[in-house]
Amino acid sequence: MSDRLVLLGTKGGPAIRPGGPSPTSMLLDLGGRRIVVDCGLGVSRGLVEAGMKLSELDLIFITHLHSDHVLELGPLIHTAWTTGLAKRVAVYGPQGTKALWQGFLASLSYDIATRIADEGRPDLEGLVSVYEYGPGHVFADGGLTVTALRVDHPPVTDCFALKIEGEGRSVVFSSDTAYFPPLADFARCADILVHEAMLPEGIESIVARTGNGARLREHLIASHTLAADAGRIATAAGVKRLALNHLIPADDPAFTESHWRIALAETFSGELLVGRDGLVIPL
């Protein structure tokens, strides 16, 4: 298994549209570990199409509890269970992740109990360990370490950038965040920075299609990072590669890859990867 990062879902926000990308999820293969970061709608299909057997599910990290990052957490684990998962899965997420998992188990209690009795499957709850984290050290095992930085994503307070290190490599995920200069120090000299990005000229398009008018516009401006500012973070951090993810907008044909490259032309001169579903980035 080669070390790689796969962007499974690259769309910012929970809505999906015909032919468009899926909400946020990523797969990091590093040092023999299969690490899922965020579980937006479509993560199970994305993992399978990336060549991963769901029975290989190992580590899951959730950056925050917005639905476009957690909607398929329970369904992913359940689907892995029905396809032969027999080893423990560890889930790391902010406060509230345990309640989210317990709620999912309650909602599928009939199906789970029936499959255990009828199909001889192991107890699903017993296969999953959920750990809630805050800023700082999150995980360490076999040379793999994970560290968290609280970022600025109002009104969500428990929203964390993650740095995953192992095999002499470092990958940083910004999570959802407004422009947050301290992230540059956190991502210092990372091999890849995966950062959310928003096109200012795309905001009105999203508002018009989604509704909510002024309130949605206020949220987008206060809680997300303009593409040019993502470039500023990457430049200040001295990262080797910048991968734009959680794109806003991601499913408007009026905006193409060239718009993103133009938006960052003056703020980042390194290798720029504009996210799309299924994009494989070798490490």
Side-chain angles (χ1 to χ4, degrees), residues 59-111:
L59 291 168
I60 299 174
F61 291 90
I62 301 298
T63 62
H64 67 295
L65 297 183
H66 262 149
S67 61
D68 53 323
H69 297 255
V70 297
L71 193 61
E72 205 169 305
L73 171 62
L76 167 61
I77 297 171
H78 183 282
T79 305
W81 178 64
T82 62
T83 55
L85 180 70
K87 64 177 183 177
R88 185 171 295 277
V89 175
V91 179
Y92 292 80
Q95 185 175 358
T97 304
K98 290 181 179 179
L100 180 71
W101 172 240
Q102 289 299 319
F104 174 79
L105 290 173
S107 73
L108 267 290
S109 59
Y110 174 81
D111 177 88

Side-chain angles (χ1 to χ4, degrees), residues 177-263:
T177 181
Y179 179 48
F180 192 63
L183 184 58
D185 284 335
F186 185 70
R188 184 73 59 199
C189 297
D191 291 280
I192 301 176
L193 170 62
V194 182
H195 202 297
E196 73 138 69
M198 178 170 64
L199 288 173
E201 61 269 39
I203 294 175
E204 295 307 316
S205 170
I206 293 172
V207 170
R209 288 188 298 162
T210 306
N212 305 331
R215 291 292 296 276
L216 178 58
R217 186 183 299 107
E218 290 171 4
H219 164 74
L220 292 173
I221 293 171
S223 302
H224 295 283
T225 303
L226 295 177
D229 287 333
R232 290 184 175 93
I233 294 291
T235 297
V239 299
K240 299 175 182 178
R241 290 183 281 179
L242 171 62
L244 300 183
N245 195 29
H246 194 275
L247 303 179
I248 304 173
D251 54 4
D252 187 334
F255 300 100
T256 65
E257 181 171 328
S258 64
H259 288 84
W260 297 100
R261 295 192 176 277
I262 291 169

Side-chain angles (χ1 to χ4, degrees), residues 4 6-9 25-29 34-39 42-60 72 76-77 80 278:
R4 61 176 184 162
V6 187
L7 304 183
L8 305 173
S25 61
M26 291 156 281
L27 169 65
L28 178 62
D29 287 327
R34 315 216 77 162
I35 306 161
V36 177
V37 179
D38 284 334
C39 293
V43 62
S44 302
R45 173 64 64 183
L47 288 169
V48 170
E49 292 183 350
M52 175 177 156
K53 296 178 181 178
L54 295 186
S55 59
E56 299 172 341
L57 199 61
D58 182 7
L59 291 168
I60 299 174
E72 205 169 305
L76 167 61
I77 297 171

Side-chain angles (χ1 to χ4, degrees), residues 253-274:
F255 300 100
T256 65
E257 181 171 328
S258 64
H259 288 84
W260 297 100
R261 295 192 176 277
I262 291 169
L264 277 89
E266 295 185 2
T267 61
F268 182 69
S269 60
E271 183 180 354
L272 176 63
L273 301 156
V274 179

Side-chain angles (χ1 to χ4, degrees), residues 165-179:
E165 299 173 282
E167 301 294 307
R169 299 185 178 92
S170 173
V171 181
V172 174
F173 302 88
S174 74
S175 184
D176 288 10
T177 181
Y179 179 48

